[in-house]
Amino acid sequence: MENVALQNLVSSGHVSDPESPRGRLLLKAARLFREKGYERTTVRDLAAAVGIQSGSIFHHFRTKEDILKAVMQETIQLITARMQAAVDIERDPVAQLRALVRCELESVNGETGEAMAVLVYEWRSLSPDNRAEILVMRDHYEGLWLSALEGVKAAGKLETQPSVARRLLTGALSWTSTWYRPDGRMTLDDLTEQVMLMLKLA
């Protein structure tokens, strides 16, 4: 499912091919922005990470902020597509919520983990216009969560208000990147079930 979503987005031009020069630059940028912070990362740092001259970056992007914006845009589009595909398979709202939890845990702790962290910590580094554009994209992403949570609430299986539950889940799921170990004994499926148990939905 994840590879299909990526292939479809690459084919439609919404996401860069990870093997292309632009795609490699965005992957390295996400890592540097996560490790050093956006403000402390220079164009020279970005160029060195992908093995090109600094001026070559401007064949792909006009400014460093455009790179940050592209990291965020492509990440949101990819994760939203994966989540939408996962939700579309399920009919039951609890199953939809479980699918969303699993997808977000994979996003936070998998190949898009660094870009997800950039979304959380660096969106204020965008100009007001770019920030507004990213927030509109995030509204669709968050809408999937609220729809599932409202469905669970309507079924009488959730006591917490959906908007509050989502905020609590955002913090809890994002924080797993600081302690969860993919090579440990607990799989992401196991962790997903722990989250559902916490919500009393397992």
Side-chain angles (χ1 to χ4, degrees), residues 40-181:
R40 291 188 299 275
T41 300
T42 66
V43 171
R44 181 173 294 179
D45 292 332
L46 294 168
V50 291
I52 60 175
Q53 297 294 319
S54 297
S56 299
I57 284 180
F58 300 109
H59 292 302
H60 304 284
F61 300 97
R62 292 180 303 161
T63 66
K64 188 176 78 164
E65 184 179 333
D66 285 344
I67 299 174
L68 176 63
K69 179 183 176 184
V71 167
M72 294 183 174
Q73 282 180 319
E74 295 201 6
T75 302
I76 293 173
Q77 289 187 92
L78 177 57
I79 302 307
T80 300
R82 288 174 173 173
M83 288 188 164
Q84 185 69 67
V87 167
D88 287 346
I89 294 172
E90 307 292 350
R91 296 289 182 213
D92 176 66
V94 172
Q96 291 179 337
L97 182 59
R98 179 181 283 104
L100 290 174
V101 169
R102 179 63 173 75
C103 280
E104 186 146 309
L105 285 171
E106 174 65 32
S107 300
V108 169
N109 295 286
E111 62 186 21
T112 55
E114 289 162 337
M116 289 287 284
V118 171
L119 269 170
V120 172
Y121 296 111
E122 296 290 353
W123 70 275
R124 289 184 178 85
S125 298
L126 294 170
S127 67
D129 286 347
N130 284 336
R131 192 183 308 162
E133 190 173 336
I134 293 298
L135 288 175
V136 168
M137 295 178 67
R138 285 185 65 178
D139 284 345
H140 181 199
Y141 173 84
E142 292 298 328
L144 293 172
W145 279 96
L146 288 176
S147 178
L149 286 163
E150 286 165 359
V152 177
K153 177 79 171 178
K157 297 180 179 180
L158 182 70
E159 296 181 8
T160 311
Q161 290 299 317
S163 59
V164 174
R166 174 54 186 151
R167 286 177 173 85
L168 291 170
L169 282 168
T170 298
L173 300 181
S174 296
W175 197 249
T176 60
S177 65
T178 67
W179 59 265
Y180 175 71
R181 295 292 175 265

